[in-house]
Coordinates of all heavy atoms in Angstrom, one line a residue:
S112 N 2.0 -80.8 21.7 CA 1.6 -82.1 22.1 C 2.0 -82.5 23.5 O 1.5 -83.4 24.1 CB 2.4 -83.1 21.1 OG 3.7 -83.0 21.3
G127 N -4.5 -96.6 37.0 CA -3.7 -97.6 37.7 C -4.1 -97.6 39.2 O -4.2 -98.7 39.8
Q137 N -11.6 -106.3 46.1 CA -12.0 -107.6 45.8 C -11.3 -108.6 46.8 O -12.0 -109.5 47.3 CB -11.7 -108.0 44.4 CG -12.2 -109.4 44.0 CD -13.7 -109.5 44.2 OE1 -14.5 -108.7 43.6 NE2 -14.2 -110.5 44.9
V142 N -11.9 -112.3 51.5 CA -11.6 -112.7 52.9 C -12.9 -112.5 53.8 O -13.1 -113.2 54.7 CB -10.5 -111.8 53.4 CG1 -10.3 -111.9 54.9 CG2 -9.1 -112.1 52.6
T149 N -17.4 -118.9 57.9 CA -16.8 -119.6 59.1 C -17.9 -119.4 60.2 O -18.1 -120.3 61.0 CB -15.4 -119.0 59.5 OG1 -14.6 -119.3 58.4 CG2 -15.0 -119.7 60.7
G154 N -22.8 -121.8 63.2 CA -24.2 -121.7 63.7 C -24.5 -120.3 64.3 O -25.4 -120.2 65.0
A157 N -26.8 -114.0 61.9 CA -26.4 -113.1 60.7 C -25.7 -111.9 61.2 O -24.8 -111.4 60.5 CB -27.7 -112.7 60.1
D159 N -23.5 -111.8 63.8 CA -22.2 -112.3 64.0 C -21.4 -112.5 62.7 O -20.2 -112.1 62.6 CB -22.1 -113.6 64.8 CG -22.6 -113.4 66.2 OD1 -22.5 -112.2 66.7 OD2 -23.0 -114.4 66.9
A164 N -17.3 -110.5 59.1 CA -17.0 -110.0 57.7 C -16.4 -108.7 57.6 O -15.4 -108.4 57.0 CB -18.3 -110.1 56.8
T165 N -17.0 -107.7 58.5 CA -16.5 -106.3 58.5 C -15.1 -106.3 59.1 O -14.2 -105.7 58.5 CB -17.4 -105.5 59.3 OG1 -18.7 -105.5 58.6 CG2 -17.0 -104.0 59.3
D179 N -19.4 -98.9 52.0 CA -20.3 -99.6 52.7 C -20.0 -101.2 52.5 O -19.4 -101.5 51.5 CB -21.7 -99.4 52.2 CG -22.1 -97.9 52.4 OD1 -22.0 -97.4 53.5 OD2 -22.5 -97.3 51.4
E201 N -21.0 -107.9 49.7 CA -20.9 -106.8 48.7 C -20.2 -105.7 49.4 O -20.7 -105.2 50.4 CB -22.2 -106.5 48.1 CG -22.8 -107.6 47.3 CD -24.1 -107.2 46.7 OE1 -25.1 -107.1 47.4 OE2 -24.2 -107.0 45.5
R205 N -15.9 -95.5 47.7 CA -15.9 -94.2 46.8 C -14.6 -93.5 47.0 O -14.3 -93.1 48.1 CB -17.1 -93.4 47.2 CG -18.5 -94.0 46.8 CD -19.6 -93.3 47.4 NE -19.7 -93.3 48.8 CZ -20.1 -94.3 49.6 NH1 -20.4 -95.4 49.1 NH2 -20.1 -94.1 50.9
G217 N -17.8 -85.8 41.1 CA -18.2 -87.0 41.9 C -17.0 -87.9 42.1 O -16.0 -87.8 41.5
R220 N -16.7 -94.9 42.0 CA -17.4 -96.0 42.8 C -16.7 -97.3 42.4 O -16.7 -97.7 41.2 CB -18.9 -96.0 42.5 CG -19.6 -97.0 43.3 CD -21.1 -96.9 43.0 NE -21.8 -97.9 43.5 CZ -22.1 -99.1 42.9 NH1 -21.8 -99.2 41.5 NH2 -22.8 -100.1 43.4
A227 N -19.1 -117.2 49.6 CA -18.5 -118.4 50.1 C -19.6 -119.4 50.6 O -20.6 -119.0 51.2 CB -17.6 -118.1 51.4
G252 N 12.6 -138.3 58.6 CA 13.3 -139.5 58.2 C 12.8 -140.0 56.9 O 12.4 -139.4 56.0
S253 N 12.8 -141.4 56.8 CA 12.4 -142.0 55.5 C 11.0 -142.6 55.6 O 10.8 -143.8 55.1 CB 13.4 -143.1 55.2 OG 13.6 -144.0 56.2
N266 N -4.3 -128.3 64.9 CA -5.0 -127.2 65.6 C -4.0 -126.1 66.0 O -4.5 -125.0 66.5 CB -5.7 -127.8 66.9 CG -6.6 -126.8 67.4 OD1 -7.4 -126.2 66.7 ND2 -6.7 -126.8 68.7
S267 N -2.8 -126.3 65.9 CA -1.7 -125.3 66.3 C -1.7 -124.1 65.5 O -1.8 -124.2 64.2 CB -0.4 -126.0 66.3 OG 0.6 -125.0 66.7
A269 N 1.0 -122.2 65.3 CA 2.4 -122.0 64.8 C 2.5 -122.1 63.4 O 1.9 -122.9 62.8 CB 3.2 -123.0 65.6

Side-chain angles (χ1 to χ4, degrees):
S112 63
Q137 183 60 51
V142 171
T149 301
D159 290 339
T165 301
D179 302 305
E201 293 181 290
R205 292 169 297 283
R220 182 178 170 265
S253 60
N266 194 41
S267 174

